[in-house]
Amino acid sequence: MTTSSAPTPSSAVPEPVWASVHDSVVAALRDLIRIPSINPVDPSVPDGETRVARYLEGRLRALGLEPEVVEPVPGRGSVHARLRGDGSGGDPFLLMSHLDVVPAPPERWSHDPFAADVADGYVYGRGAVDMKGMIALEVGVIERLVGEAREAGRDPARDPIPGLRRDVLFTCVADEEAGSTDGARWFAANRPEWLLAAAAVNECGGFSVTVGGRRLYPIQVAEKGFVPYRIHVSGTWGHGSMPRDDNAAVRAAQIVERLAEPGPIRVTPVMTRFLEAAAAALPRDAAAVLRRIADGGLDPAATDRAIDGLCDPMYARALRAMLRDTLSPNVIEAGVKYNVIPGDAIVEVDCRILPGTTERDMFAEVERRIGPDLLPACRIERLALGEPVESPAEGPFWDTLVATLRDHDPAGVALPMMVPAATDAKATAIVGTPTYGFSPFRLEPEERFLERFHGVDERISLDALRFGLPVLYDVVRRFCG
Ligand SMILES: [Zn+2]
């Protein structure tokens, strides 16, 4: 199997045109990586997000569009532009992305994370995968659409793009990596027209995963909710020479152990479809295992073992989390000195809930796990809440995604998936826009793409970008045409 340049059976754009737009996508990606838009905001680059927004504004303006940059907070800019359709096709289509990145301590990188080196067929740098590569691809699609307007003698800022029956929105926001308060959530509340659409594509899905020799394209249609809690544990202060049973550090340790126990399996409708579609594509042995998981025929431990035997540990960890509510105790604080028994401790637990699980359910589960012996010593504080979201894995837009992937990679299998993490799809859900994680990259079987997110040596292959460009273009053309 190879990921060399794919034929573009469905698109009418000639190959030399794609080659030129591809060069421009790569150039844009490298420019974007070189602007460190780190979140939480790095004091050395306090306006990194606005600088990326301004860069994109300049690029879109040079194409003849009229983009807008808005800063809910100084330095934290987001950018938006609109391509016009003739209005006969209904609500707009949204290209949704975020322009911030997580920090990248350079010590273990083989390339400077903000130099955007091209080496071994990859573009290296923080954000290459999450998600400046997609921004660059979207700008490439816009560049092509604008080119077609100009070839037809139209002004892309004012006139409809030939063949588009809906508007295409480009919205690229700040602050996804730290809660979206100054990004997507702000726009949902204050500028909903930036997010309102019949459908949107966003990050976290659509790229290929090779399992059992088959190339699967899980498209994100759902994501879990998050609800972190801080548990204040009390005990009694005392002298370390005379141990106490009510040492708060010991209690915290017991609580951590109880919280960390893997919970029961619950297969949501989306994951049932995921498992059944994967089973239909995979060899008989693997298929049988997937069907047993889908049927709920295995206990939690057996399910986890079956998953471990099925795929790479990187994907196994993700799949286990897609099949249950999870609790991960990630912070423990206690103690002031070795000979002082602590009377207070703190445990913070990151809880992720499936669609159908409520915050009340999870709160009750945390209490149950702490147990009646330790619960009286605890006060539980909720730190945040993000609801699970789901978009329909059916209907015209879903069909467009599946058909377009199939046309560009006939051996690939598209299937709906829920991601265990959170994205700006939570904010687009507030305004009612169905949102799909769809970064259409065909990857080498050995590519460890999931590890590139927030990882060391984050990088994206030129072939992946080359494949994705006409796919995304065709999605836009087909859904909006
Ligand atoms: Zn991201």
Side-chain angles (χ1 to χ4, degrees), residues 399-460:
D399 293 344
T400 300
L401 294 177
V402 173
T404 307
L405 272 176
R406 190 177 48 227
D407 288 346
H408 285 265
D409 184 359
V413 177
L415 61 177
M417 171 202 55
M418 173 177 60
V419 299
T423 72
D424 279 338
K426 296 216 185 318
T428 51
I430 293 169
V431 302
T433 299
T435 301
Y436 297 81
F438 187 77
S439 308
F441 299 130
R442 189 172 70 177
L443 305 171
E444 297 285 353
E446 65 276 9
E447 176 65 82
R448 303 185 70 76
F449 200 67
L450 223 49
E451 287 182 355
R452 310 278 181 239
F453 287 82
H454 300 195
V456 169
D457 277 341
E458 183 176 347
R459 60 188 181 275
I460 190 158

Side-chain angles (χ1 to χ4, degrees), residues 286-458:
V289 173
L290 290 169
R291 291 203 176 96
R292 284 196 72 191
I293 296 172
D295 295 345
L298 297 173
D299 67 39
T303 302
D304 289 350
R305 280 196 302 277
I307 292 170
D308 287 340
L310 210 57
C311 55
D312 185 284
M314 174 178 61
Y315 298 120
R317 220 155 50 90
L319 185 52
R320 285 201 295 267
M322 294 172 195
L323 297 174
R324 47 161 65 91
D325 300 313
T326 57
L327 300 87
S328 183
N330 299 335
V331 173
I332 314 173
E333 288 171 13
V336 291
K337 187 166 180 277
Y338 78 90
N339 60 358
V340 178
I341 294 172
D344 297 303
I346 282 175
V347 172
E348 287 179 6
V349 57
D350 180 359
C351 302
R352 305 287 176 140
I353 53 180
L354 296 166
T357 299
T358 66
E359 191 270 333
R360 286 170 67 100
D361 297 335
M362 183 45 86
F363 188 88
E365 175 65 9
V366 168
E367 285 192 327
R368 192 191 67 73
R369 286 177 177 231
I370 292 172
D373 54 334
L374 291 173
L375 196 56
C378 295
R379 180 170 64 81
I380 305 172
E381 176 192 0
R382 190 179 85 194
L383 299 179
L385 173 61
E387 299 286 355
V389 295
E390 263 181 324
S391 300
E394 60 188 15
F397 186 63
W398 171 257
D399 293 344
T400 300
L401 294 177
V402 173
T404 307
L405 272 176
R406 190 177 48 227
D407 288 346
H408 285 265
D409 184 359
V413 177
L415 61 177
M417 171 202 55
M418 173 177 60
V419 299
T423 72
D424 279 338
K426 296 216 185 318
T428 51
I430 293 169
V431 302
T433 299
T435 301
Y436 297 81
F438 187 77
S439 308
F441 299 130
R442 189 172 70 177
L443 305 171
E444 297 285 353
E446 65 276 9
E447 176 65 82
R448 303 185 70 76
F449 200 67
L450 223 49
E451 287 182 355
R452 310 278 181 239
F453 287 82
H454 300 195
V456 169
D457 277 341
E458 183 176 347

